C-alpha cells in the first residue's frame, strides 16, 4: 500500500507547498484513491511535483463537508471526469465558522463543487462495503468527550446557527494483507469515538490510523484543553495501532501527545510518503478489567493513576515551556 500526503498545513522535505487543508493519495493492488482535496488546487500542483497521476484515480472519498478538504474538487474533476466522489448525504449543508466579534464565515463545500457530476451520497448509518479492500462508515457515537476546538463550528439553520453535529463526517477503511488502515479527515467526532465505532463494526483495532485530531487552537490552551490532550494520548497508547497525524491536530498538541505516545505517533507533512510501521504493543487496558482478579484491577488502576500523573506533569511542563519561550520571543 502506498500513501502519499498531497497537502497538509506544514511543509516537509519534499519541497511541496503547504496550506490549511488535507489530501491523501492511496494506492492499493486494486485501487488508486484520493482522500480529500485540500483547500485549493495546491494538492494538484503537489501531485504533479510528486509524480502522482490524478487521471488514474478511480475513486474519491470526501471525509466531511468543509472547504479545507473539498476545495480542490473542481480542479480534480477538470482532469478526471470519471472517478466517483463518495460523500455523506449531509456534506453539502451550510457550515460556518462563528466566532465572537467576527462575521460568520462560510466553510462548506463550494457551490461549483456541489454541482459536479459523479457525486455519490452515502447514507449515514452502518458500513458501506465498496469491495474487499475498501469500506466507508459513519454513525459515530459520542461516548468520549470531543475537542473544544469544535466550538466555533456551526450549521446554519432557518434563523440561527446551531452546533455542528458532524453528521457529514465519514471514515475510510483500506484493507491490504494484514494491514487495516483507518483514514479520517479531522476526527471531529473525536478519534476515541471513531475507534469505538470501528471496533463495533470490525471487531478489533485498526493496525494503522491516518487522521487529524482537531486540537489546534489559534489562542492559548486551557487546563481543560491540556487534560483532553493528555487523556486522548493515554487512551491511544492502549490500542495496538500506529497513528499518523497532522493538519488540524496542531503542532503544539502533537508535541505534547508525542511525549506520551512516543514511537506510536508520527506527524505527516505536506508531500510525505507514509511508511506503515508495525504498531507497538498496547499498554495495559483497563477496559479488560472485568476479566481480572480484584488485586490485578487494583494494580492496574494504580498504574494508570501514576501514568496519568507523570503524563500530566510532563505535558504541563511542555506547555509552560512553550508559553514562556513565546513570551521571551
Amino acid at each position: 500500500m502506498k500513501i502519499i500526503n498531497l497537502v497538509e498545513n506544514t511543509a516537509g522535505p519534499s519541497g511541496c507547498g503547504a496550506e490549511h487543508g488535507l489530501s491523501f493519495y492511496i494506492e492499493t493492488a486494486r485501487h488508486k484513491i484520493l482522500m480529500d482535496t485540500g483547500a485549493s488546487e495546491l494538492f494538484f500542483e503537489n501531485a504533479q511535483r510528486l509524480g502522482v497521476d490524478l487521471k488514474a484515480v478511480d475513486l474519491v472519498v470526501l471525509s466531511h463537508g468543509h472547504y479545507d478538504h473539498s476545495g480542490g474538487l473542481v480542479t480534480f474533476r477538470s482532469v478526471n471526469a470519471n472517478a466517483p466522489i463518495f460523500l455523506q448525504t449531509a456534506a453539502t449543508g451550510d457550515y460556518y465558522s462563528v466566532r465572537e466579534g467576527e462575521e460568520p464565515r462560510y466553510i462548506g463545500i463550494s457551490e461549483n463543487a456541489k454541482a459536479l457530476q459523479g457525486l455519490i451520497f452515502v447514507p449515514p448509518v452502518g458500513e458501506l462495503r465498496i469491495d474487499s479492500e475498501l469500506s466507508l462508515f459513519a454513525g459515530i457515537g459520542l461516548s468520549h468527550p470531543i475537542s473544544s476546538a469544535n466550538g466555533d463550528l456551526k450549521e446554519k439553520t432557518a434563523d440561527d446557527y446551531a452546533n455542528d453535529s458532524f453528521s457529514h463526517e465519514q471514515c475510510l477503511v483500506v484493507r491490504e494483507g494484514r494491514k487495516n488502515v483507518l483514514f479520517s479527515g479531522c476526527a471531529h467526532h473525536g478519534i476515541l469515538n471513531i475507534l469505538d465505532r470501528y471496533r463495533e463494526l470490525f471487531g478489533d483495532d485498526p493496525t494503522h490510523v491516518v487522521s487529524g485530531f482537531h486540537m489546534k487552537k489559534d489562542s492559548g490552551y486551557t487546563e481543560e484543553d491540556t487534560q483532553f490532550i493528555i487523556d486522548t494520548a493515554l487512551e491511544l497508547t492502549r490500542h495496538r495501532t500506529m497513528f499518523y497525524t497532522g493538519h488540524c491536530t496542531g503542532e503544539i498538541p502533537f508535541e505534547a501527545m508525542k511525549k506520551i505516545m512516543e514511537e506510536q505517533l508520527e506527524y505527516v507533512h505536506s508531500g510525505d510518503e507514509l511508511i506503515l510501521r508495525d504498531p507497538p504493543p498496547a499498554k495495559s487496558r483497563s477496559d479488560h478489567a472485568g476479566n481480572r482478579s480484584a488485586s490485578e484491577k487494583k494494580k492496574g488502576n494504580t498504574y494508570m493513576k501514576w501514568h496519568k500523573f507523570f503524563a500530566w506533569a510532563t505535558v504541563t511542563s511542555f506547555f509552560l515551556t512553550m508559553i514562556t519561550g513565546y513570551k521571551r520571543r
Side-chain angles (χ1 to χ4, degrees), residues 22-238:
L22 193 65
S23 177
F24 282 98
Y25 171 76
I26 307 156
E27 188 173 316
T28 68
R30 297 174 59 181
H31 290 287
K32 293 178 173 64
I33 307 151
L34 186 63
M35 174 79 170
D36 293 339
T37 62
S40 71
E41 62 183 19
L42 182 58
F43 86 101
F44 173 69
E45 296 170 6
N46 287 346
Q48 290 182 305
R49 184 184 186 95
L50 296 166
V52 173
D53 182 8
L54 294 178
K55 293 178 183 177
V57 167
D58 61 281
L59 183 144
V60 180
V61 173
L62 187 65
S63 65
H64 61 294
H66 285 167
Y67 80 97
D68 51 330
H69 297 256
S70 63
L73 280 175
V74 173
T75 298
F76 172 79
R77 185 54 88 213
S78 72
V79 298
N80 186 317
N82 299 316
I85 300 168
F86 289 81
L87 66 167
Q88 281 289 298
T89 53
T92 56
D94 288 332
Y95 301 111
Y96 282 78
S97 172
V98 180
R99 297 183 177 183
E100 188 175 352
E102 299 179 12
E103 285 294 315
R105 178 171 60 92
Y106 180 71
I107 59 170
I109 299 174
S110 73
E111 294 302 317
N112 288 340
K114 291 178 185 180
L116 291 173
Q117 297 296 310
L119 301 183
I120 296 180
F121 291 96
V122 181
V125 292
E127 173 201 2
L128 174 64
R129 184 173 285 256
I130 296 171
D131 58 26
S132 60
E133 279 192 349
L134 308 179
S135 293
L136 297 171
F137 72 86
I140 303 159
L142 292 173
S143 300
H144 301 276
I146 62 174
S147 171
S148 65
N150 283 328
D152 297 331
L153 303 179
K154 309 289 182 181
E155 181 175 7
K156 189 175 183 180
T157 62
D159 54 2
D160 202 356
Y161 295 91
N163 288 333
D164 194 338
S165 67
F166 303 107
S167 60
H168 51 105
E169 186 170 54
Q170 65 180 357
C171 299
L172 169 68
V173 179
V174 181
R175 293 174 287 268
E176 189 173 76
R178 295 185 178 183
K179 293 182 174 68
N180 295 290
V181 187
L182 167 62
F183 292 86
S184 171
C186 286
H188 285 292
H189 278 92
I191 191 61
L192 299 181
N193 291 312
I194 289 172
L195 286 169
D196 282 353
R197 181 63 168 151
Y198 181 96
R199 285 194 300 272
E200 183 181 308
L201 291 169
F202 303 104
D204 202 355
D205 286 335
T207 57
H208 304 81
V209 167
V210 182
S211 177
F213 296 152
H214 202 68
M215 296 171 173
K216 179 179 170 61
K217 301 186 80 171
D218 293 335
S219 56
Y221 293 85
T222 66
E223 183 176 336
E224 289 76 16
D225 294 330
T226 304
Q227 187 65 60
F228 176 77
I229 292 166
I230 291 170
D231 289 345
T232 301
L234 285 171
E235 186 63 32
L236 293 181
T237 65
R238 295 154 73 181

Side-chain angles (χ1 to χ4, degrees), residues 267-289:
Y267 197 96
V268 180
H269 300 278
S270 190
D272 284 356
E273 181 171 351
L274 277 63
I275 306 301
L276 296 182
R277 297 191 292 105
D278 290 338
K283 301 285 176 66
S284 175
R285 299 184 70 130
S286 63
D287 54 353
H288 297 326

Side-chain angles (χ1 to χ4, degrees), residues 237-295:
T237 65
R238 295 154 73 181
H239 295 264
R240 193 172 184 272
T241 302
M242 270 297 303
F243 294 90
Y244 300 84
T245 194
H247 179 46
C248 57
T249 298
E251 293 179 80
I252 291 176
F254 168 80
E255 293 297 340
M257 294 180 76
K258 181 73 172 175
K259 289 180 180 296
I260 297 170
M261 297 178 67
E262 298 176 338
E263 75 277 5
Q264 194 180 2
L265 179 66
E266 292 187 6
Y267 197 96
V268 180
H269 300 278
S270 190
D272 284 356
E273 181 171 351
L274 277 63
I275 306 301
L276 296 182
R277 297 191 292 105
D278 290 338
K283 301 285 176 66
S284 175
R285 299 184 70 130
S286 63
D287 54 353
H288 297 326
N291 298 323
R292 300 181 302 177
S293 67
S295 62

